[in-house]
Amino acid sequence: MLRLHDIMTRDIVTLSPEHTLREAMSILVSRHISDAPLTCNRIVVGVVSLTDLADLASSAPGVPTERPQHPDWGEWDDPMDMSDEPTTEYFRQLWDDAGAEVSERITESGGPEWGPLQEHTVAEAMTRDVRSLPSTTSVEDGARFMRQASIHRVLVMDDAQLLPTPFTE
């Protein structure tokens, strides 16, 4: 009879609850995996998926859509009135990085749109209800358990230890 230890993934990546959303997303994407167990002092404390991370990131406040008005910018009431079209200097002052190369702007992550990914940790998004089965569980029983629990993966653990020994990012 086929057991979970016969088919389980052996290249396990774990994350820390202290990882930022950005770090966790980067690790998961670079390793081509959609979720990972979270460990603290080698004890499994939760699981996080890309869906969990995206859900938390999408619930964070968005990027401001309006810039604050500055008196020296002047008024431009009718955008269709081309007789009073602003000069390029107006736009250069409006956008500080107008002179920066595109490659420089892409690598800069200090803008407000990156904030939620850096400000939140994986602990805020993780699922604390860890679903696991012993390595000696039959594949059929494991599949039944996953179907009943409505989960796509299950951690294989013996004596509260994640199997096999994980690679921690």
Side-chain angles (χ1 to χ4, degrees):
M1 178 184 307
L2 207 53
R3 306 270 177 206
L4 292 182
H5 63 76
D6 298 320
I7 66 165
M8 68 185 187
T9 300
R10 301 199 182 282
D11 184 23
I12 297 177
V13 173
T14 64
L15 298 174
S16 164
E18 288 83 31
H19 276 108
T20 66
L21 296 186
R22 170 175 288 293
E23 292 167 335
M25 286 178 178
S26 177
I27 291 166
L28 294 176
V29 169
S30 69
R31 298 292 301 249
H32 304 287
I33 55 178
S34 60
D35 55 24
L38 302 174
T39 59
C40 186
N41 297 325
R42 302 188 57 84
I43 297 170
V44 177
V45 295
V47 177
V48 71
S49 69
L50 283 172
T51 304
D52 296 330
L53 297 173
D55 186 44
L56 180 64
S58 68
S59 68
V63 177
T65 58
E66 295 181 16
R67 288 186 171 262
Q69 293 296 318
H70 294 287
D72 55 330
W73 286 357
E75 297 270 334
W76 194 24
D77 295 327
D78 183 5
M80 299 308 289
D81 180 9
M82 297 303 189
S83 63
D84 221 9
E85 190 173 335
T87 64
T88 56
E89 186 59 30
Y90 171 86
F91 292 104
R92 287 167 49 104
Q93 290 175 2
L94 184 61
W95 296 297
D96 304 299
D97 64 355
E101 293 293 322
V102 172
S103 59
E104 291 176 51
R105 284 185 265 160
I106 290 173
T107 59
E108 175 57 42
S109 62
E113 65 276 10
W114 296 103
L117 299 178
Q118 292 293 102
E119 293 174 5
H120 295 282
T121 64
V122 175
E124 298 172 67
M126 73 181 191
T127 300
R128 296 179 195 296
D129 182 21
V130 176
R131 303 293 181 98
S132 67
L133 291 172
S135 63
T136 55
T137 304
S138 72
V139 171
E140 293 82 13
D141 288 343
R144 188 176 307 106
F145 175 80
M146 291 168 58
R147 201 170 34 256
Q148 290 172 347
S150 297
I151 56 176
H152 297 102
R153 289 167 197 79
V154 64
L155 298 179
V156 179
M157 297 175 67
D158 286 339
D159 299 321
Q161 293 295 312
L162 186 61
L163 299 177
T165 303
F167 172 74
T168 303
E169 282 283 340

